[in-house]
Amino acid sequence: MEASQFKSDQYVRFCPGCGDHAICMALQKAMAQIGIPTHQVAVISGIGCSSRMPHYLNTYGFNTIHGRGGAIATGVKTSHPELTVWQMSGDGDCLAIGGNHFIHEIRRNVDLNVCLFNNRIYGLTKGQYSPTSPKGFVSKSSPFGTVERPFVPAELVLGARGTFFARTLDVDVPTTVDCLVAAQQHKGASIVECLVNCVIFNNGTHSWIADREQREEHSIILRHGEKMIFGKNKDKGLAVEIDPQTFVPRLIVVPADDERVLVHDAHQQDPTLHRLLALMGQERNLEVPSAQVPSTKDELPIALGVIRDVEAETYNDAVNNQIAEVRGKAKAKTFDELTATLEQWTM
Amino acid sequence: MKNITVRFCGDSGDGMQLTGNMFAQLAAEMGNEISTLPDFPAEIRAPQGTLGGVSAFQVELGQEVYTSGDKADVVVAMNAAALKVCTLGSHFNHPQAHFDEEFSLFHRHAILIVDTDSLTDKDLEKAQYHTPNPFEELGIPESVQIVPVALTTLTKEALKDSGMDNKSVLKCRNMFALGLIYWLFDEPMEKAIHLLEEKFKKKPALVAPNTKVMVDGYNYGQNLALNVQQVHLDQVPSDQVLSDQVTKCTYTSIAGNKATAWGLIAAAEKAGKRLFLGSYPITPATDILHELAARKDMNVMAIQAEDEIAGVCTAIGAAFAGDLACTSTSGPGLSLKSEAIGLAVMAELPLVVIDVQRGGPSTGLPTKTEQTDLLQALYGRNGECPAVVIAASSSANCFDYAYEACKIALENMTPVILLTDTYLANGTALWRIPKLAELPEIHPQTVPEELKGHYNPALRDARGVRYWAFPGMEGYEHRNIGLERDAEKGTISTNPENHEQMVLARKHKIEQIANSIPNLQIIHTASADRSRLCRDKKSSNPQIPMSDTLLVGWGSTEGHLHAAANELNCALAHFNYICPLPKNTHEILSQYKRIVVCELNTGQFAAYLRAQFPDLHIEQYNEIQGQPFAVERIVNFVKNN
């Protein structure tokens, strides 16, 4: 299929320069690559800039209310598992007002593809801090800087026993397409954190890796089965070591030719290493001044690509299988047969 | 005797609900009409023997049973606390309170069966008695026939050879009481034993000891010739039944929540839709979730969501995807669902919301009954947000109105809020089992084939109802929204005239439903006896005959109002359809000089009617005590005001 088949007739109203344009394009490309017909795809969103996305995709779409996209998407997928269901959400929609639905769709492993647009700001309400804004972030609702500790979305996903987590960057369309296609292929709740720039209210929030000169030094694209190598000159690799005092495992940067360089295993059920990978570089997002601190030679890169992709039974399958099993064995399958089983008498 | 009210009361752990249900079911099988009222504390197990832990089950049986009875004619009190609570009613906590017929839960001439083994000093202390003689302390009048029975001793005696431990033996006490009541009503023991076997089907080890105790209870009544007259209810001659209903019908007894669940199941099958329920546990609505979770044999998908909001939102997702979608809750949950119901109004999706009302506000009285969510159901959403509101009026017709809610939702692409309440939900009534074929047709508003390729979600039929297309249907891809949509194209619109047009279109869509609902009927007509008068303070005419008086109610109070109208010999109009109202509402109401709206709230339906019909003078009678109406109080109000 062609990406153009997934473009709706609506004029795209994201701000000029907004990172959502790139994700929209990547979505259309990914959907074409996946090749599921438009009428079998449902895109559900809540409220926020990113939640406008269904309007620009020529599929079934439902732009609902703030925070509830996850619950509504759960209803669509569970009742109709034959559909491909996407959820478009932002750091406010998914992690603040919709936080409960987010952790439960992950815990239940509903087979949804969730794009979590993270720009660390509320854009549609014109610039308030979000649950991913770094502590000290100055916004209209935090004129003296926030005093809150932010979420790291990956940590939340793994804490809810997530089976799939990928991270991508608005300006890196090929990686985004790869992550979206992988999300569709994964059976279960697939969370793709899309780091997007808000050109109006939080410009440059991901510049640490978004700037072309810095990206390759500050980020690594993880691919299952491949060595963890990064850097402009592909000269650095990642290895794991155990701290001799605390016995806590930690990742370290080693030369690319070091035999200790890890090979990425996204399918490993144990989340320990996935967590370490997903948290690399996240301290820069926790507090405001740290983003400006210059990097050191040994600084861990921010991980992009599919970090975790493991198998587990999906909620929608479990629910539907149980109904089929009970119904298969049932003697009464219609209303009249059901009422016949009642203790009854004639008068 | 035409009908009679029996109350079983004891400790929460004494099995009063089971005992009462078994008695009611046998009574129903023997050809009685029944109406039941389980009355239990919110705590699952309050401290044993305390006043707060008293659990009761009341049933009225006989012919022309409209309510579960104001006051009991026969009481079984299993312990000292239960004796106190049923004697003093709502005054049980007042120090020095005595029997007062206004508050007592039984009549002055009631039969009071008491377990004398449960009146030890320790029992009396727990139930906060101050003297060793409870009957004297409570001031129970001599006209009450007290039947002391050593229930505990007799139960132990019955099971002395059973090898059961003491605790298990004591759990059978309720069956002795039940056997005794069966004797009192001269019920056939073989049927009673069969029923007991049914009830304990899953615990076969308990059948034999419980049967033994129950039969011993029966024999105790018979052999020892208790100094009590057996009760014989008037039997309706069988030919009289047949003259009313030409064919014989099949009946069962059913609780309101179960009837509601089954109404949804029937509607889904009739409409050719899969039933989806998104719900979250909340008293007193949870039994609907329980029942539907168990009905996978009927292909029901029942989801226990992470919260009330997810309950309604998963349902909205299922509705978007083409299912018959429902959510069940009580008042606090309805508050949480408000925004999402607004989405379903805006997106014009079929959705059934069941609110089993309880005492409010906030957590309120979770296990008690009230009609206080009416205005929330009508208006509790942001924006101009009309939805259909209907109410069931008996435990049995919860089935019919759940079915009707689905029919209206699917045919009119709108949320429908069905109001029931604790009284209907937990109470049981005789239900004539219908066949699916005899239920009304349901025609979901699925988009017609000719719109393929040029469908949009704003397209409406001549009634003003938009068409339903859902994912999986090729050629109808569209985007639905909670934002305002363009009346022609269905896409986002902020145009001022368009918004007004759409607000009116949604309003009209609800109003036109009045064309397809039944007209309001006068349920009870006053005879032309003009000698019975009631005063009217407001009117220049000092006395208005009862035949010009109309009682008005809605929802679960129908039985009580019917009984009151009978007694007053005045007319009764009872509403099941609230928004929209039946088309002839004004025509009917305006025929009466005096209109008294009776509700278990501070006058919500009265206020609604006044807003609709400002020309009518509407009086109101209200009780807000978490209990069903007492017929006697309604009668007194209408007579004396």
Side-chain angles (χ1 to χ4, degrees), chain B residues 315-353:
Chain B
I316 289 172
F320 174 74
D323 281 3
L324 168 54
C326 309
T327 186
S328 53
T329 189
S330 185
L334 187 65
S335 304
L336 285 163
K337 293 178 199 292
S338 299
E339 189 197 13
I341 296 170
L343 171 66
V345 169
M346 200 64 165
E348 301 187 66
L349 286 170
L351 176 71
V352 174
V353 180

Side-chain angles (χ1 to χ4, degrees), chain B residues 436-574:
Chain B
L436 193 72
E438 71 195 58
L439 298 172
E441 295 287 321
I442 299 179
H443 302 286
Q445 177 75 349
T446 313
V447 64
E449 185 76 29
E450 55 266 30
L451 287 175
K452 187 170 179 174
H454 34 94
Y455 170 83
N456 80 53
L459 290 173
R460 289 168 200 283
D461 67 7
R463 296 174 303 153
V465 180
R466 84 168 190 94
Y467 295 108
W468 193 14
F470 33 86
M473 295 172 72
E474 193 177 350
Y476 302 91
E477 289 89 333
H478 66 277
R479 270 61 63 192
N480 206 337
I481 37 177
L483 289 152
E484 185 61 281
R485 62 166 134 240
D486 185 277
E488 310 290 307
K489 299 192 287 267
T491 49
I492 301 173
S493 168
T494 53
N495 177 287
E497 290 82 17
N498 179 76
H499 176 53
E500 187 163 283
Q501 186 185 343
M502 286 302 298
V503 166
L504 297 176
R506 289 185 288 266
K507 182 166 180 273
H508 167 76
K509 188 179 78 175
I510 300 304
E511 286 166 352
Q512 63 80 29
I513 293 167
N515 296 326
S516 53
I517 62 174
N519 266 337
L520 182 64
Q521 303 283 335
I522 292 295
I523 297 178
H524 181 267
T525 319
S527 67
D529 177 8
R530 298 223 159 213
S531 61
R532 297 176 71 154
L533 299 173
C534 62
R535 281 183 291 134
D536 180 33
K537 292 171 189 163
K538 318 277 186 312
S539 158
S540 56
N541 178 357
Q543 300 210 300
I544 295 176
M546 277 299 173
S547 56
D548 279 338
T549 297
L550 179 69
L551 291 189
V552 172
W554 66 276
S556 72
T557 55
E558 179 172 358
H560 298 86
L561 295 180
H562 202 148
N566 264 347
E567 209 161 306
L568 288 160
N569 192 25
C570 69
L572 167 65
H574 200 80

Side-chain angles (χ1 to χ4, degrees), chain A residues 8-10 37-44 47 52 54-66 68 70-76 78-83 97 100-102 104-105 107-108 315-316 319-320 322-323 326-327 330-347, chain B residues 25 28-29 31 194-195 198 241 248-253 258 262 265-266 269 274 276 295-301 303-307 309-310 313-314 316-318 320-323 339-340 343 347 349 399 430-431 433-436 439 469-483 491-492:
Chain A
S8 79
D9 58 358
Q10 295 294 296
T38 53
H39 67 278
Q40 284 165 6
V41 179
V43 184
I44 314 296
I47 292 293
R52 284 275 174 135
H55 296 282
Y56 312 131
L57 299 169
N58 184 34
T59 62
Y60 278 91
F62 196 4
N63 177 189
T64 70
I65 46 177
H66 203 17
R68 313 304 166 201
I72 292 169
T74 296
V76 174
T78 310
S79 64
H80 289 271
E82 72 280 8
L83 300 172
I97 190 166
N100 200 31
H101 311 309
F102 183 62
H104 286 280
E105 70 190 358
R107 172 180 70 82
R108 294 193 179 103
Y315 178 70
N316 35 288
V319 168
N320 283 282
Q322 193 178 51
I323 292 171
V326 174
R327 196 164 160 79
K331 288 193 190 93
K333 290 181 185 166
T334 65
F335 177 74
D336 288 339
E337 288 165 1
L338 178 65
T339 53
T341 64
L342 288 169
E343 177 109 0
Q344 53 194 280
W345 53 91
T346 306
M347 290 182 4
Chain B
Q25 187 167 338
E29 286 189 34
H194 175 70
L195 181 66
E198 278 292 311
V241 174
K248 278 188 166 186
C249 294
T250 310
Y251 289 85
T252 189
S253 72
K258 186 168 176 174
W262 285 32
I265 290 170
E269 188 174 329
R274 211 264 297 287
F276 181 98
R295 289 278 73 85
K296 293 180 173 43
D297 49 357
M298 296 290 118
N299 202 27
V300 177
M301 182 174 283
I303 300 285
Q304 181 173 315
E306 59 270 24
D307 56 31
I309 297 172
C313 284
T314 48
I316 289 172
F320 174 74
D323 281 3
E339 189 197 13
L343 171 66
L349 286 170
F399 176 87
L430 203 59
W431 179 48
I433 303 171
K435 291 282 176 213
L436 193 72
L439 298 172
F470 33 86
M473 295 172 72
E474 193 177 350
Y476 302 91
E477 289 89 333
H478 66 277
R479 270 61 63 192
N480 206 337
I481 37 177
L483 289 152
T491 49
I492 301 173

Side-chain angles (χ1 to χ4, degrees), chain A residues 248-267:
Chain A
V248 174
R250 64 184 179 206
L251 291 166
I252 51 168
V253 177
V254 296
D257 56 1
D258 191 304
E259 61 181 11
R260 291 175 296 167
V261 171
L262 295 163
V263 172
H264 183 43
D265 182 3
H267 304 331

Side-chain angles (χ1 to χ4, degrees), chain A residues 291-322:
Chain A
Q292 273 83 54
V293 176
S295 67
T296 60
K297 195 164 70 63
D298 298 336
E299 181 161 349
L300 291 167
I302 288 174
L304 301 175
V306 178
I307 296 170
R308 178 171 173 81
D309 180 3
V310 300
E311 278 185 29
E313 185 181 38
T314 66
Y315 178 70
N316 35 288
D317 280 350
V319 168
N320 283 282
N321 291 345
Q322 193 178 51

